[in-house]
Amino acid sequence: MEQQFRLEPLIINTVIEACKQLYGHEPEPKLISIQKTNMQFRSEADFTIMVFPLVRISKKSPELTANELGDFLKKHLDMVENINVVKGFLNIKISSRYWLLFLKEHFLDVNYGIQQPDRDKPPVIVEYSSPNTNKPLHLGHIRNNLLGDSISRILKANGKNVIQVNLVNDRGIHICKSMLAWQHWGEGETPESSGIKGDKLVGKYYVEFDKQYKEEVRQLVAKGMDEEDAAKAAPLMQQAQEMLRRWEQGEQDVRVLWQMMNSWVYAGFEQTYARLGISFDKTYYESQTYLLGKEVVAEGLNKKVFQKKEDGSVWVDLIADGLDEKLLLRADGTSVYMTQDLGTARMRYEEFHPEKMIYVVGNEQNYHFDVLKKVLVKAGYNWADNIKHFSYGMVELPEGKMKSREGTVVDADDLIDEVTLSAKQITGELGKTENFKPEEAENLFRLIGLGGLKYFILKVDPVKNMLFNPEESIDFDGNTGPFIQYTYARIQSLLRKSGRDIASLAYDEFTGLLGEERELLFLCYDFRRILSLAAEELSPAQIANYVYELAQQYNKFYQRIPVLKEEDANRVDFRLALSLFTANVIKNAMDLLGIAVPEQM
């Protein structure tokens, strides 16, 4: 039954058959482009086929070719009600009868458009979050986490076997800076003694290190030292580098301090992830993968694809590949980011043999991932071609750029608190929680706040830099999460008010489907195509902007067409079924963005 409601493949196959019968030639399916008809012609057609690529087969003018193909479609597909030709474009209108049957088949399908993941197929690994254990999650991490989570949901809904992973950067010079600062100035402070969330406490000492380090550099420069030399010679930096060497040598006192402070951070991270609704199937730690990376480097040295310099550092020459030389191991034997990424990639491949490994990492790391793939290929790992860097733009606030070292980042928890408070204030002003119990109201404020935050970030094309404005995100009008959430709640209210047994709604065929009804039905139908496109492009923005258009169209339908006040009981049932179907699609689309929709607001 489902296949007869997939129009695009049916139309394409019929056009291919038309070309065979009319012109004696079978075109490649890729030559036939079928698209949603442009808005200015939507009252006359649903789909448009560009005929120009087929003129070479027909050997006739575009207009004549389009008319002949259109006549063939009308004759052989009973759901084609009408065709019209505009130059080389064939516009196709689908019959009202088809749309009525389509709705009757699907309006109770709460999983419309969603496929179940095929666990028997090689997985797609999606890595996101990747925090450092020297600071709390911030606004940049929020965009990363929301993109990674949404991409994972979209791929799963397209039937992919997805494994969501996190790589915690839990070692390195930046971690040692926080540890050293706590040793110098912490006076035994803990999350319990200070009442400060663990990741924020460690972040406090990372900022303190930078403050003290800059003062040391300033003093050395004032004594006549070159600034670059001063940056290397500053006592704090020397001590941090020595601490890293001691850590890699496994000295117990350093490892105990490291484990204690990291445990504070992990507890803080988990609280933030829980608030955002973020989870992972597996978490990797750099401290467990960097040694494997060193093995990869050693193998490359043996194969003579990497080079060891006189000071003992190991490099790879990528100049012939259009890049440059890249450090793989420092002269003192300590590893760099690239080292652990080599180890992590190999570990994941050996563990899962994935179809693809997607790294959700900001565009400032484009070069890093170009190098990673080249290095792995040089080392003999041809599966590196399956690595995909999902590169996204930076996110900033109206106040300007954030800097972790200087303590000017926007803390993720603070931002969640801010949008939740804004949701509470605006919702209260609009009187939307007058009949709610206190705990119900608080839950609604949280849903609206998070919905506003997530939607505002995910509606932007991932490749673009963006400016996040908390105030604009919590708005019940316009292209926002709360507007879509309210549309869903409005439909649920209508369905409750109807008093009908929704599961047994039934309507007979009728003529005169109104424009707003047709457009709403078509948009719901189109969800499967949008979901497929979002997976192909790895773009949650496709889903976000689609569901906004759907919510807009429902509100237009709701305002212009009576539902419960309609005198024809048959049409009442049809419009209730259409409303329910729209609500189901909105809920599915918002879930792909990680956004919950309230039943009442």
Side-chain angles (χ1 to χ4, degrees):
M1 190 70 172
E2 172 68 14
Q3 281 303 112
Q4 67 174 298
F5 292 112
R6 296 303 298 267
L7 283 170
E8 293 92 334
L10 188 58
I11 293 172
I12 288 172
N13 288 336
T14 307
V15 171
I16 291 173
E17 183 61 31
C19 289
K20 286 168 60 178
Q21 293 190 29
L22 296 174
Y23 311 126
H25 188 89
E26 181 176 343
E28 292 286 333
K30 64 183 180 182
L31 286 178
I32 304 166
S33 172
I34 181 168
Q35 299 174 344
K36 177 181 174 181
T37 300
N38 190 288
M39 202 52 165
Q40 66 186 102
F41 300 111
R42 293 286 293 136
S43 61
E44 302 172 13
D46 299 298
F47 297 102
T48 297
I49 296 176
M50 188 170 68
V51 175
F52 297 103
L54 302 174
V55 169
R56 288 175 295 173
I57 295 171
S58 69
K59 303 191 184 324
K60 298 179 180 180
S61 71
E63 290 83 358
L64 183 56
T65 304
N67 276 297
E68 289 180 346
L69 292 175
D71 290 340
F72 189 94
L73 289 173
K74 281 187 68 176
K75 182 178 179 181
H76 292 85
L77 294 177
D78 59 1
M79 72 274 296
V80 175
E81 179 179 288
N82 195 21
I83 62 118
N84 70 71
V85 174
V86 179
K87 296 183 179 180
F89 296 92
L90 171 59
N91 296 317
I92 303 164
K93 185 173 185 178
I94 304 302
S95 69
S96 295
R97 179 177 180 274
Y98 167 83
W99 289 123
L100 292 171
L101 287 171
F102 167 75
L103 178 63
K104 190 171 287 189
E105 176 72 13
H106 289 292
F107 80 92
L108 290 175
D109 183 2
V110 295
N111 294 312
Y112 173 75
I114 306 295
Q115 300 178 50
Q116 291 302 308
D118 188 343
R119 298 300 181 190
D120 294 327
K121 288 185 177 179
V124 174
I125 295 176
V126 182
E127 179 200 289
Y128 57 101
S129 197
S130 305
N132 296 326
T133 57
N134 63 329
K135 56 191 174 186
L137 301 178
H138 55 64
L139 177 57
H141 288 115
I142 286 183
R143 190 178 197 191
N144 180 291
N145 279 280
L146 298 185
L147 285 169
D149 178 66
S150 183
I151 288 168
S152 300
R153 291 168 183 260
I154 288 167
L155 291 173
K156 288 178 184 177
N158 278 274
K160 294 292 186 180
N161 177 16
V162 177
I163 298 176
Q164 295 162 257
V165 303
N166 187 3
L167 172 64
V168 179
N169 298 298
D170 65 336
R171 59 162 295 283
I173 192 69
H174 51 297
I175 311 299
C176 291
K177 290 176 182 178
S178 296
M179 293 162 59
L180 190 63
W182 185 86
Q183 279 188 328
H184 281 309
W185 302 290
E187 298 181 350
E189 185 178 30
T190 68
E192 292 74 22
S193 69
S194 64
I196 300 175
K197 191 163 167 273
D199 50 344
K200 295 185 181 183
L201 180 62
V202 173
K204 166 186 167 183
Y205 287 102
Y206 183 61
V207 173
E208 185 63 28
F209 177 95
D210 187 66
K211 175 185 171 184
Q212 299 291 341
Y213 168 63
K214 283 181 176 176
E215 177 58 23
E216 287 185 348
V217 171
R218 189 193 66 77
Q219 291 179 9
L220 290 173
V221 170
K223 293 177 181 179
M225 186 177 289
D226 176 82
E227 188 165 350
E228 185 176 338
D229 291 336
K232 296 176 183 178
L236 274 174
M237 184 59 71
Q238 295 283 327
Q239 292 170 39
Q241 290 171 342
E242 175 60 23
M243 179 176 277
L244 178 59
R245 285 190 288 272
R246 292 173 59 206
W247 184 93
E248 291 209 5
Q249 290 165 5
E251 292 192 17
Q252 186 176 6
D253 59 333
V254 176
R255 288 294 180 108
V256 168
L257 173 62
W258 169 75
Q259 289 171 346
M260 178 183 73
M261 293 184 70
N262 273 357
S263 71
W264 299 345
V265 176
Y266 297 147
F269 284 171
E270 287 307 312
Q271 292 177 43
T272 307
Y273 286 141
R275 297 185 73 187
L276 285 170
I278 299 295
S279 62
F280 305 94
D281 298 308
K282 183 163 186 174
T283 298
Y284 294 87
Y285 298 90
E286 184 183 343
S287 58
Q288 298 170 355
T289 64
Y290 82 103
L291 289 176
L292 190 55
K294 285 188 172 183
E295 287 183 19
V296 174
V297 174
E299 290 171 4
L301 279 172
N302 290 334
K303 294 177 181 177
K304 301 189 185 308
V305 294
F306 304 152
Q307 300 81 39
K308 179 176 284 189
K309 297 199 172 182
E310 291 182 2
D311 64 356
S313 61
V314 180
W315 297 72
V316 59
D317 185 351
L318 299 175
I319 294 174
D321 298 288
L323 301 172
D324 57 15
E325 287 189 305
K326 179 65 181 177
L327 177 68
L328 301 179
L329 277 180
R330 297 188 185 95
D332 62 5
T334 57
S335 58
V336 293
Y337 270 126
M338 184 60 65
T339 322
Q340 64 91 6
D341 272 350
L342 292 169
T344 304
R346 194 175 91 172
M347 179 183 288
R348 288 177 187 163
Y349 180 79
E350 292 174 348
E351 185 175 0
F352 296 111
H353 294 279
E355 170 192 338
K356 186 170 288 187
M357 289 189 279
I358 300 172
Y359 291 75
V360 181
V361 182
N363 57 18
E364 78 277 8
Q365 293 295 324
N366 287 350
Y367 174 79
H368 176 87
F369 283 96
D370 287 343
V371 171
L372 175 64
K373 292 179 70 171
K374 296 287 186 185
V375 172
L376 285 168
V377 170
K378 280 187 176 293
Y381 300 114
N382 292 328
W383 45 260
D385 289 336
N386 296 332
I387 288 176
K388 164 73 175 175
H389 174 208
F390 178 84
S391 174
Y392 63 90
M394 295 296 98
V395 55
E396 296 176 6
L397 286 169
E399 292 79 11
K401 197 168 185 177
M402 303 177 295
K403 296 180 181 178
S404 299
R405 290 187 299 274
E406 297 177 8
T408 60
V409 298
V410 179
D411 183 271
D413 293 310
D414 293 343
L415 191 57
I416 294 171
D417 290 340
E418 182 179 345
V419 293
T420 302
L421 180 60
S422 294
K424 181 175 184 178
Q425 292 171 341
I426 295 173
T427 305
E429 291 170 4
L430 296 173
K432 295 184 180 295
T433 55
E434 292 177 353
N435 299 319
F436 281 59
K437 295 177 181 177
E439 62 272 20
E440 292 173 339
E442 289 300 323
N443 184 56
L444 179 64
F445 304 147
R446 182 182 60 83
L447 290 184
I448 294 173
L450 281 174
L453 170 65
K454 291 183 177 184
Y455 184 84
F456 198 96
I457 287 177
L458 292 174
K459 73 178 181 179
V460 178
D461 185 336
V463 302
K464 295 180 179 179
N465 291 338
M466 67 168 293
L467 192 69
F468 176 71
N469 189 321
E471 293 180 4
E472 289 182 13
S473 72
I474 308 299
D475 191 338
F476 285 87
D477 294 311
N479 190 1
T480 67
F483 169 73
I484 299 166
Q485 289 174 313
Y486 180 65
T487 300
Y488 177 85
R490 166 180 271 180
I491 296 174
Q492 297 305 314
S493 175
L494 173 71
L495 295 174
R496 289 191 296 270
K497 189 177 178 181
S498 74
R500 304 292 182 96
D501 179 4
I502 301 300
S504 60
L505 285 175
Y507 55 85
D508 298 324
E509 187 178 327
F510 60 86
T511 57
L513 199 61
L514 300 178
E516 288 85 356
E517 295 168 333
R518 284 183 64 92
E519 184 64 20
L520 192 55
L521 261 171
F522 184 90
L523 278 174
C524 289
Y525 166 87
D526 205 34
F527 176 56
R528 290 173 297 197
R529 181 187 67 84
I530 296 293
L531 178 53
S532 177
L533 182 64
E536 182 183 328
E537 296 183 355
L538 297 179
S539 177
Q542 289 283 355
I543 300 294
N545 290 292
Y546 162 81
V547 73
Y548 171 60
E549 184 182 1
L550 180 60
Q552 273 188 311
Q553 185 59 38
Y554 184 83
N555 281 283
K556 187 185 296 182
F557 158 82
Y558 182 85
Q559 291 162 9
R560 296 182 183 179
I561 297 177
V563 179
L564 300 183
K565 292 182 180 179
E566 168 63 52
E567 294 180 358
D568 184 343
N570 191 52
R571 284 184 181 264
V572 171
D573 274 11
F574 161 73
R575 289 170 186 168
L576 287 172
L578 178 55
S579 297
L580 176 60
F581 187 36
T582 303
N584 288 339
V585 175
I586 288 175
K587 187 173 186 177
N588 287 341
M590 293 292 267
D591 183 68
L592 294 172
L593 304 176
I595 299 174
V597 284
E599 297 294 312
Q600 184 178 352
M601 62 187 284

